Amino acid sequence: MKTLIKMQRKEADELPPQVPISWVEISSSVSRQFQFEPDGKLSVKMVDDSRPVAQRMVESFLNKFFPSGYPYSVNEGYLRYTQFRALQHFTSAALSVLSTQSLLFAAGLRPTPAQATAVSWILKDGMQHVGKLICSNLGARMDSEPKRWRILADVLYDLGTGLEVMSPLCPHLFLEVAGLGNFAKGMAVVAARATRLPIYSSFAKEGNLSDLFAKGEAISTLFNVLGLGAGIHLASNICSSMQGKLVVAPLLSIMHVYSVCEEMRATPVNTLNPQRTAMIVAEFVKTGKISSPADLRYQENLVFPGRLIEDAGNVKVGRSLHEVVSPSKLRQFKETFPEEKFLLNRGSRWTDMILEHDATGEDALRGWMVAAYASDMERLAREPSTNISQEAYEKMNSVFSPFLAELQAKGWHTDRFLDGTGSRFVF
């Protein structure tokens, strides 16, 4: 028996080693060998690459600074957004060099001891934290209008930087001017960071939000470094004098704000807020068509998003219930649409819509469509009717299911309605 066991062990020892499983894949003039190692890991080795050098450099750049699978893994507009984002960070970094140089110059001009100057600098930085705290209370509004707040963030940043650039003109007011500038920049930092996620989310197409975020930050870092280099060059030459700064800084600021405006125009945000909801409803009521987020992006008003749209019923959403409906008529308004999560109060200039606390984007769309159809019927009617609201409600119900299905097929998210700090109610 012992002899048999020894023979089996000897045969097991003499078994040939397992050959690793490997194969070669050829794609776009590139040959890669894939092989499973004994520990189960997959190794990849470049066998042959007959691509031109320029093509290899371009693809290497795309792999480092664009999401995997680009351009099929992102929504339309990502390239234009990235181009202007790069320009934005380049100009911002160059401008920051000029503002820092001016601050140091202004601090050095002050006829005070070094200790007092250090205290002033600390207080100046403290103002930035105050700005951050104040702006943090506006998060819900930033969710509703990320594009507007992103633009406002850069305007505030340039305002703060402009004050810092001009600080040498009034060195005796260094703390006041620099503190106010840092206060504006603190608010800008919070607004820019808070709006980054909804903007990146609008480009994510295959659940690749982390990849988008990482590659976006890589591009920002690259062009920040390039901008710092350009800023140092400007500060050493053209902008070594105050006159040079007063010429170059406004030009950089204009380029900076223009870049962020173009970024936001290229961003196809696919969530429902008051402006986008009104535009969708107005187009559907008027033409029967529905635009995708990519089609609607260039029609958005980025500066004044709260404008009323006549074809959508001039709906105003978010006012407090007690401002819109008197207590004596509250039951009457609720019984008009008892199964719905919205109240409508049609006035002479606009229609107020108040949503329940758990109302979704679908509820907001239903209310908006009722208001739009009612306004359209009232405009076409020869005689005023007391049943217009009910007729509009019935018309909305007849078209809502196919309307909602097409809306979702176009890429719109209808599970929530972002009305900022608008008031809602609950019985």
Side-chain angles (χ1 to χ4, degrees), residues 47-100:
V47 177
D48 183 44
D49 189 351
S50 58
R51 295 174 300 172
V53 176
Q55 184 181 351
R56 274 186 276 174
M57 291 177 64
V58 169
E59 292 194 11
S60 177
F61 179 84
L62 290 176
N63 290 335
K64 285 181 174 61
F65 296 102
F66 283 78
S68 299
Y70 174 85
Y72 306 106
S73 61
V74 295
N75 285 319
E76 185 179 341
Y78 183 74
L79 178 61
R80 184 173 178 82
Y81 167 82
T82 302
Q83 289 170 338
F84 282 102
R85 181 173 172 78
L87 180 59
Q88 172 214 337
H89 280 277
F90 181 85
T91 52
S92 174
L95 198 56
S96 70
V97 174
L98 302 185
S99 68
T100 303

Side-chain angles (χ1 to χ4, degrees), residues 387-409:
N387 296 324
I388 282 184
S389 294
Q390 198 61 40
E391 293 172 8
Y393 182 72
E394 293 173 0
K395 187 172 182 180
M396 180 275 296
N397 269 332
S398 67
V399 302
F400 189 76
S401 293
F403 164 76
L404 182 63
E406 185 177 353
L407 191 72
Q408 293 172 339

Side-chain angles (χ1 to χ4, degrees), residues 141-150 273 275-276 305:
R141 298 184 183 183
M142 296 177 196
D143 277 331
S144 178
E145 292 290 348
K147 294 185 178 184
R148 181 192 188 193
W149 281 94
R150 186 66 184 84
N273 69 354
Q275 179 181 199
R276 286 188 287 276

Side-chain angles (χ1 to χ4, degrees), residues 26-31 49-51 55 59:
I26 302 173
S27 175
S28 301
S29 305
V30 180
S31 300
D49 189 351
S50 58
R51 295 174 300 172
Q55 184 181 351
E59 292 194 11

Side-chain angles (χ1 to χ4, degrees), residues 107 110 112-127 174-176 178-179:
R110 299 183 73 233
T112 55
Q115 186 178 5
T117 302
V119 171
S120 296
W121 199 278
I122 293 170
L123 290 173
K124 181 265 299 182
D125 284 345
M127 290 297 291
F174 169 78
L175 180 58
E176 291 82 355

Side-chain angles (χ1 to χ4, degrees), residues 272-412:
L272 294 177
N273 69 354
Q275 179 181 199
R276 286 188 287 276
T277 303
M279 293 169 69
I280 290 169
V281 170
E283 183 183 27
F284 181 77
V285 170
K286 192 174 182 179
T287 67
K289 299 179 180 179
I290 299 175
S291 293
S292 66
D295 296 330
L296 203 69
R297 56 187 166 156
Y298 288 111
Q299 302 173 35
E300 290 184 66
N301 190 322
L302 302 181
V303 181
F304 302 106
R307 61 193 174 97
L308 299 178
I309 300 178
E310 185 177 357
D311 290 330
N314 287 327
V315 174
K316 183 179 288 189
V317 65
R319 294 180 70 197
S320 299
L321 184 62
H322 69 274
E323 296 177 353
V324 176
V325 182
S326 61
S328 59
K329 294 184 178 181
L330 183 57
R331 184 178 297 275
Q332 175 188 341
F333 275 99
K334 180 60 180 171
E335 290 176 350
T336 306
F337 311 116
E339 303 299 323
E340 301 295 340
K341 295 184 178 181
F342 60 82
L343 297 178
L344 290 178
N345 182 19
R346 299 176 61 242
S348 57
R349 290 187 296 168
W350 65 74
T351 297
D352 280 297
M353 180 168 69
I354 310 101
L355 297 169
E356 287 192 20
H357 75 287
D358 59 345
T360 65
E362 294 180 21
D363 298 312
L365 285 165
R366 291 174 69 86
W368 227 292
M369 289 183 73
V370 171
Y373 280 131
S375 177
D376 192 48
M377 291 175 179
E378 190 175 52
R379 190 166 52 249
L380 298 176
R382 295 181 180 179
E383 297 180 0
S385 172
T386 56
N387 296 324
I388 282 184
S389 294
Q390 198 61 40
E391 293 172 8
Y393 182 72
E394 293 173 0
K395 187 172 182 180
M396 180 275 296
N397 269 332
S398 67
V399 302
F400 189 76
S401 293
F403 164 76
L404 182 63
E406 185 177 353
L407 191 72
Q408 293 172 339
K410 292 279 188 177
W412 291 101

